[in-house]
């Protein structure tokens, strides 16, 4: 049989094919694509897909191997050379607390734990405490994988969750005005609304860990809990950032803040013309450089097969370190919180997403629930994350709604 390719060989081959596809696209930009060209592109695309799948499998196997190597105590305990003494002591307390609860702490650690507890504002509840920064960073790292929009928006962090008043505008309507020598400005012309950006609270729900696992010093318990909690908060936040309806405990998501946009021509489907119309619904000033498409993975699959008027594919593969993948010349961001293409769905957004301000509250509170699952030999953990979001310029992002 054939000798299996090594990971770096697969990656090189992928880069080569992606390069060939782009070349084919460029060289045949003027003429109409015939069947032969379309077939050639299709074959390359299939090979690219197979390679992507093989690379993903290989990388997963490698990461499983490296997990075993990560069992040295320094790496495990979240402590590295940059960690401050206080932070290192807090991490030690966290690890002991996660494993054995309050009773496992010695006198000195209890004092430090009380300080960590004092930081949780306005919660008189049992067992809630603010986690050390390093643990919070781990959670945020895990959240990244699940939130597409948060990776291209502007995220700012505040120490508390106090409401902040923010001015919002429709940038296309604002412009400089000529004035006389002695005047200063014509203030009344600038239309802006004031919106309060708050901080709504989300819970990770309870993550259960068995007593055996907690007692096994070879397990990176903080890392494990951070990953599990991070994936839940990441999915939850991603959904809220897009589709939160703003009532009750929900934040108002991007799709409920955007105004204007386009509706697809055909019902239940989108075509190249719809994407162009959406792109041009965004003022050119916001399309320069940083504009992106936003949709889910299913939509991407459909768009990969879409062609322009010449029969050329709209999608171009990325070449690592050289060029990003694009749809009709613009980069895209996948977010699984975006709805599938279906009647009335806001399936594609386009624009400069840096105008979406996401506010996160720094202190994340963790609780350890000892009694609740004791009879099952489990301990429960849950974490709270507070955030809100605001599209500060309505002109920056528009959505394509699929016709019913």
């Amino acid at each position: 049989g054939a000798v299996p390719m090594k990971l770096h060989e697969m990656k090189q081959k992928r880069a080569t094919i992606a390069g060939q596809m782009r070349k084919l696209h460029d060289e045949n930009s003027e003429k109409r694509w015939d069947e032969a060209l379309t077939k050639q592109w299709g074959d390359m695309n299939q090979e690219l897909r197979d390679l992507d799948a093989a690379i993903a499998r290989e990388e997963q196997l490698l990461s499983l191997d490296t997990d075993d190597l990560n069992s040295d105590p320094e790496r495990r305990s979240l402590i590295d050379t940059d960690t401050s003494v206080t932070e290192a002591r807090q991490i030690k307390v966290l690890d002991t607390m996660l494993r054995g609860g309050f009773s496992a702490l010695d006198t000195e650690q209890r004092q430090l734990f009380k300080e960590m507890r004092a930081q949780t504002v306005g919660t008189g509840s049992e067992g809630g405490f603010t986690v050390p920064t390093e643990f919070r960073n781990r959670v945020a790292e895990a959240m990244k994988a699940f939130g597409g929009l948060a990776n291209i928006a502007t995220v700012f962090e505040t120490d508390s969750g106090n409401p902040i008043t923010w001015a919002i505008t429709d940038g296309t309507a604002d412009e400089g005005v000529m004035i006389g020598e002695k005047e200063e400005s014509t203030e009344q012309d600038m239309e802006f609304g004031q919106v309060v950006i708050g901080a709504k609270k989300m819970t990770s729900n309870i993550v259960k860990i068995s007593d055996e696992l907690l007692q096994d010093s070879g397990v990176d318990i903080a890392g494990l809990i951070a990953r599990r909690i991070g994936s839940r908060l990441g999915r939850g936040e991603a959904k809220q950032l897009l589709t939160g309806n703003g009532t009750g405990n929900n934040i108002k998501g991007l799709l409920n803040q955007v105004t204007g946009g386009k509706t697809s021509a055909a019902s239940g489907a989108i075509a190249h013309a719809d994407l162009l119309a959406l792109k041009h619904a965004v003022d050119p000033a916001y399309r320069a450089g940083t504009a992106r498409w936003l949709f889910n993975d299913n939509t991407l699959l459909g768009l990969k097969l879409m062609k322009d008027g010449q029969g050329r594919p709209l999608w171009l593969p990325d070449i690592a370190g050289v060029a990003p993948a694009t749809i009709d010349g613009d980069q895209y961001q996948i977010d699984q919180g975006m709805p599938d293409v279906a009647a009335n769905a806001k399936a594609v957004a386009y624009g400069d997403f840096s105008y979406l301000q996401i506010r996160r509250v720094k202190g994340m509170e963790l609780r350890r629930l000892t009694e609740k699952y004791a009879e099952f030999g489990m301990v429960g953990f849950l974490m709270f994350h507070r955030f809100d979001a605001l599209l500060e310029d309505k002109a920056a992002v528009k959505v394509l709604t699929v016709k019913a």
Side-chain angles (χ1 to χ4, degrees):
V3 183
M5 280 195 289
K6 292 190 174 68
L7 183 61
H8 72 94
E9 291 172 339
M10 286 196 261
K11 286 187 168 172
Q12 274 169 350
K13 189 168 183 193
R14 187 202 183 280
T16 308
I17 294 169
Q20 287 166 346
M21 286 170 80
R22 283 175 164 263
K23 192 160 174 259
L24 187 75
H25 203 271
D26 290 344
E27 284 173 358
N28 297 286
S29 59
E30 301 307 316
K31 62 177 193 184
R32 224 189 141 67
W33 279 38
D34 56 13
E35 244 173 76
L37 264 178
T38 305
K39 183 180 181 329
Q40 194 183 348
W41 174 273
D43 293 345
M44 287 171 157
N45 198 6
Q46 186 54 54
E47 197 174 353
L48 195 72
R49 285 228 294 272
D50 295 344
L51 275 170
D52 277 341
I55 288 170
R57 274 198 306 274
E58 198 59 35
E59 284 182 334
Q60 196 182 357
L61 288 171
L62 279 177
S63 75
L64 290 175
D65 291 348
T66 52
D67 271 1
D68 297 341
L69 300 175
N70 267 347
S71 50
D72 69 284
E74 291 306 305
R75 174 73 197 93
R76 260 212 336 272
S77 58
L78 301 178
I79 297 171
D80 59 30
T81 47
D82 303 334
T83 314
S84 72
V85 177
T86 319
E87 175 83 3
R89 283 171 57 212
Q90 285 188 347
I91 289 166
K92 194 84 193 80
V93 168
L94 174 75
D95 192 66
T96 311
M97 176 71 197
L98 292 176
R99 291 178 190 280
F102 187 71
S103 55
L105 303 174
D106 62 31
T107 324
E108 191 187 347
Q109 286 179 323
R110 283 182 186 198
Q111 188 46 49
L112 193 58
F113 180 68
K114 282 197 180 108
E115 288 163 27
M116 287 159 76
R117 286 217 48 187
Q119 293 169 21
T120 59
V121 271
T123 51
S125 65
E126 280 307 294
F129 60 96
T130 305
V131 296
T133 316
E134 186 54 46
F135 182 82
R136 191 178 148 276
N137 291 348
R138 279 266 195 117
V139 172
E141 197 53 44
M143 284 173 70
K144 260 197 183 132
F146 297 94
L149 179 57
N151 299 340
I152 53 174
T154 302
V155 178
F156 70 99
E157 297 182 329
T158 56
D159 288 323
S160 75
N162 301 343
I164 300 171
T165 306
W166 206 277
I168 59 166
T169 172
D170 181 342
T172 47
D174 306 333
E175 50 188 46
V177 180
M178 301 298 289
I179 55 171
E181 198 62 59
K182 300 240 177 346
E183 294 174 78
E184 281 187 2
S185 72
T186 54
E187 184 58 57
Q188 77 281 3
D189 293 337
M190 170 98 178
E191 278 292 316
F192 71 88
Q194 282 194 330
V195 172
V196 168
I197 185 166
K200 297 280 177 89
K201 194 171 184 177
M202 167 176 277
T203 168
S204 63
N205 281 339
I206 296 166
V207 170
K208 298 189 271 292
I209 308 276
S210 73
D211 290 341
E212 293 86 24
L213 214 50
L214 290 174
Q215 263 121 55
D216 184 341
S217 61
V219 175
D220 169 11
I221 216 72
L224 178 72
I225 293 173
R227 274 201 306 278
R228 290 205 186 159
I229 282 177
S231 71
R232 290 181 180 196
L233 292 177
R235 279 180 213 277
E237 187 193 66
K239 207 177 205 164
Q240 283 282 324
L241 287 175
L242 282 167
T243 55
N245 63 13
T247 61
N249 300 326
N250 299 300
I251 75 164
K252 194 169 184 187
L254 175 72
L255 297 181
N256 293 318
Q257 291 189 42
V258 286
T259 54
K262 292 292 172 189
T263 302
S264 68
S267 62
I270 53 179
H272 181 215
D274 301 322
L275 294 179
L276 281 181
L278 174 64
K279 189 182 270 198
H280 288 274
V282 175
D283 188 273
Y286 300 93
R287 300 206 304 261
T290 48
R292 275 181 167 69
W293 302 102
L294 182 74
F295 37 68
N296 73 20
D297 200 50
N298 280 343
T299 307
L300 173 63
L301 194 59
L303 295 179
K304 277 186 174 182
L305 305 172
M306 196 180 278
K307 298 181 170 58
D308 66 12
Q310 299 288 87
R312 282 196 314 160
L314 289 185
W315 176 75
L316 275 181
D318 63 294
I319 300 176
V322 182
T326 56
I327 292 275
D328 201 47
D330 283 306
Q331 290 182 55
Y332 53 84
Q333 175 68 48
I334 297 295
D335 193 313
Q336 291 303 78
M338 287 291 281
D340 282 337
V341 174
N344 295 321
K346 293 174 176 172
V348 180
Y350 177 84
D352 184 345
F353 293 93
S354 66
Y355 285 93
L356 180 72
Q357 297 284 342
I358 298 175
R359 178 228 190 138
R360 288 178 178 162
V361 177
K362 275 188 194 160
M364 277 185 166
E365 184 194 339
L366 183 70
R367 284 191 202 164
R368 183 182 200 273
L369 311 168
T370 316
E371 303 307 315
K372 205 165 179 174
Y373 303 101
E375 54 179 310
F376 307 109
M378 302 279 228
V379 176
F381 296 92
L382 66 97
M383 196 161 190
F384 300 105
H385 168 48
R386 294 160 71 207
F387 66 99
D388 201 353
L390 178 71
L391 180 61
E392 60 174 349
D393 188 341
K394 304 278 191 216
V397 176
K398 301 290 174 191
V399 292
L400 178 63
T401 306
V402 183
K403 189 175 167 183

